[in-house]
Amino acid sequence: MNLAAAPSVEARIAAGAHGFSYRSGVLAAEEVPLAEIAAAVATPLYCYATAGLLGQYQALRDAFAGRAVQICYALKANDNLAVVRTFAAAGAGADIVSVGELHRALAAGVPPGRIVFSGVGKTTAEMATALAAGIHQFNVESLPELETLAAVAGAAGTRAPVVIRINPDVDAGTHDKIATGRKQDKFGVDWTAAPAIFARAAALASIDLVGIAVHIGSQLTSLAPYTAAFGRVAEMVRTLRGQGIRIDRLDLGGGLGVRYSDETPLAPAAYARLIAATVGELGCALTIEPGRFLVANSGVLLTRVILVKESAGRRFVIVDAGMNDLIRPALYGAHHTILPVVAPRQDAVWTPADVVGPVCESGDIFARDRPLPPVAADDLLVLLSAGAYSSVMASRYNSRPPAPDVQVHGRAFAVTRRRLSHAEMLAAETLPPWLGPESRP
Ligand code: LLP
């Protein structure tokens, strides 16, 4: 390892985090030093910078300047109410995949007319609730789902606005677990079989068939898979129109990648140009469903070192966040850059460390052999790029309350999802009568 070449912490933050910077040697979210938040809220915690969130939203808006493209933020990336409200207030709609996300989107102030409902397994109860709420459209992924939705809408005496998600059999070139557009993936309707399903949708009285959806995967860093997928969508529009089927809307999904380590993310302008070139001339209303792009690099996981353990020649830095708070490294082998909150001295020597959580699993590892400056118990570290698919994928494993969410705006910060107490974690559980009385403290 060439230690002399290690980039400064300032440079790493500038390259990979939106709304965070070192101020007088201490990492701050906008104008708030993270040490101040750690002292007030206790670690581990997630911290989001409003300026970063809005900056990404605006960058995407600007890329589509002059074109009517509705951005429906994919709540699955981060469903915190304050995060969703931040985007809703800026004009975003919502892409939801459950009735739980529907309630959140509505509570955050997203107008129902800007909500699209994706997902391969919507229940009849979810369909009925979303219909009654008056959402913009259902992104239907199979014939059985179409028939069920038709029955639910018929019973409610209404018509369901529907786009059908096609599976274009395109490999997004991303991690296997987040590729969704290959024919072996469970998502969408095989594009070669799709015309029959569109014809059926057009014939159902309680279905208002309005368009086509596609989403081929997440963390895309090349344009080629988008070109292939959108090309198939355009082909499908022409085929269907040729059969007298009305197609007015296209939902082009999400997937824009971000920088976790040294990726070169797609420029929003190049993505916008590609959309214009592939489907721009079809006269359809366009929707996109970005999640990660809008939130990933505007959030960090702030954690405190519990202790440093040297064992068998390895340096284990044991922190108070665990795989229950951030599962991406364990689940996908994902890279999250780790930096100290207090900038190290210029001459500090960075040596390899294993940064691990306290959870009782060998897989509870955030990074292996990661160069870090000297760190000691009680030091604060951040894991970058933790705004997307991080807090939202937390669990209670090891009876650990998931890290709370904090949002910063200028000099202000607020806990936007608090940490549950141990009593609250137990509150949903009851002992059956045969096990005798409880003895809660
Ligand atoms: N639309 C649909 C239908 C989706 O399935 C997804 C993501 C999105 C939009 C948003 O995609 P994005 O713009 O965020 O790439 N947990 C994984 C990512 C799972 C993505 C699932 N679908 C991770 O941590 O990388």
Side-chain angles (χ1 to χ4, degrees):
M1 184 178 43
N2 183 356
L3 296 169
S8 70
V9 289
E10 289 83 0
R12 293 201 203 187
I13 282 288
H18 305 305
F20 294 83
S21 62
Y22 282 90
R23 298 184 169 223
S24 310
V26 179
L27 187 58
E30 302 193 25
E31 292 163 43
V32 188
L34 290 181
E36 187 180 324
I37 300 177
V41 182
T43 53
L45 64 88
Y46 281 100
C47 178
Y48 310 110
T50 304
L53 300 172
L54 289 176
Q56 288 297 95
Y57 182 76
Q58 201 50 49
L60 211 46
R61 274 258 68 93
D62 291 349
F64 288 103
R67 297 193 193 102
V69 174
Q70 175 64 52
I71 299 175
C72 285
Y73 167 58
L75 255 71
K76 64 174 81 71
N78 187 325
D79 65 8
N80 178 288
L81 200 56
V83 168
V84 183
R85 165 84 72 146
T86 301
F87 292 127
D95 167 42
I96 59 160
V97 290
S98 72
V99 79
E101 288 190 349
L102 173 63
H103 287 304
R104 277 174 184 277
L106 295 173
V110 181
R114 289 193 193 145
I115 298 179
V116 302
F117 193 173
S118 303
V120 289
K122 307 172 188 78
T123 66
T124 53
E126 287 182 314
M127 290 173 178
T129 305
L131 260 182
I135 65 163
H136 184 59
Q137 76 195 23
F138 290 83
N139 293 10
V140 167
E141 304 218 11
S142 65
L143 183 58
E145 181 190 341
L146 178 70
E147 301 286 356
T148 306
L149 180 58
V152 172
T158 183
R159 300 183 78 211
V162 161
V163 304
I164 294 192
R165 175 173 174 180
I166 62 164
N167 179 324
D169 192 21
V170 168
D171 189 340
T174 185
H175 190 285
D176 179 58
K177 287 200 169 86
I178 56 176
T180 56
R182 304 162 300 185
K183 64 171 178 284
Q184 68 269 29
D185 297 320
K186 69 178 176 180
F187 299 97
V189 173
D190 171 15
W191 71 289
T192 57
I197 297 180
F198 280 95
R200 174 72 183 141
L204 284 164
S206 56
I207 295 293
D208 183 18
L209 175 63
V210 287
I212 304 179
V214 73
H215 171 78
I216 54 172
S218 198
Q219 183 58 12
L220 271 72
T221 51
S222 109
L223 284 176
Y226 278 130
T227 311
F230 299 164
R232 288 219 156 132
V233 169
E235 207 180 307
M236 186 72 62
V237 173
R238 294 191 186 99
T239 306
L240 295 172
R241 284 181 176 165
Q243 293 168 8
I245 293 174
R246 208 186 89 208
I247 298 294
D248 296 336
R249 299 183 195 168
L250 298 181
D251 180 336
L252 301 172
L256 272 181
V258 303
R259 175 177 292 183
Y260 285 93
S261 55
D262 54 4
E263 303 90 338
T264 311
L266 293 171
Y271 172 67
R273 271 196 306 273
L274 178 107
I275 289 178
T278 49
V279 299
E281 300 303 312
L282 297 167
C284 291
L286 299 179
T287 297
I288 55 170
E289 305 168 348
R292 191 187 313 264
F293 176 85
L294 294 177
V295 287
N297 281 330
S298 305
V300 301
L301 174 58
L302 180 60
T303 184
R304 203 179 278 284
V305 176
I306 296 177
L307 57 88
V308 179
K309 166 176 162 175
E310 306 275 349
S311 176
R314 301 192 76 81
R315 175 165 68 129
F316 290 100
V317 175
I318 302 180
V319 297
D320 64 2
M323 67 190 291
N324 71 300
D325 298 302
L326 177 63
I327 200 165
R328 301 191 72 258
L331 193 57
Y332 312 116
H335 174 101
H336 287 263
T337 294
I338 303 177
L339 296 177
V341 165
V342 175
R345 295 164 43 129
Q346 289 272 291
D347 60 358
V349 179
W350 293 57
T351 57
D354 290 352
V355 181
V356 305
V359 170
C360 290
E361 289 226 17
S362 298
D364 184 24
I365 299 177
F366 290 128
R368 220 183 236 300
D369 284 328
R370 186 71 66 81
L372 275 187
V375 289
D378 288 334
D379 285 357
L380 290 169
L381 300 178
V382 280
L383 284 85
L384 301 187
S385 315
Y389 304 111
S390 297
S391 166
V392 82
M393 292 175 76
S395 77
R396 297 166 291 105
Y397 191 35
N398 280 200
S399 276
R400 291 168 47 86
D405 288 335
V406 173
Q407 193 167 327
V408 172
H409 181 46
R411 186 68 195 83
F413 73 89
V415 176
T416 55
R417 193 170 51 85
R418 65 186 171 79
R419 179 182 281 108
L420 295 182
S421 69
H422 294 293
E424 285 171 310
M425 299 234 321
L426 274 177
E429 296 173 40
T430 42
L431 288 173
W434 66 87
L435 287 177
E438 301 183 26
S439 54
R440 294 190 191 198

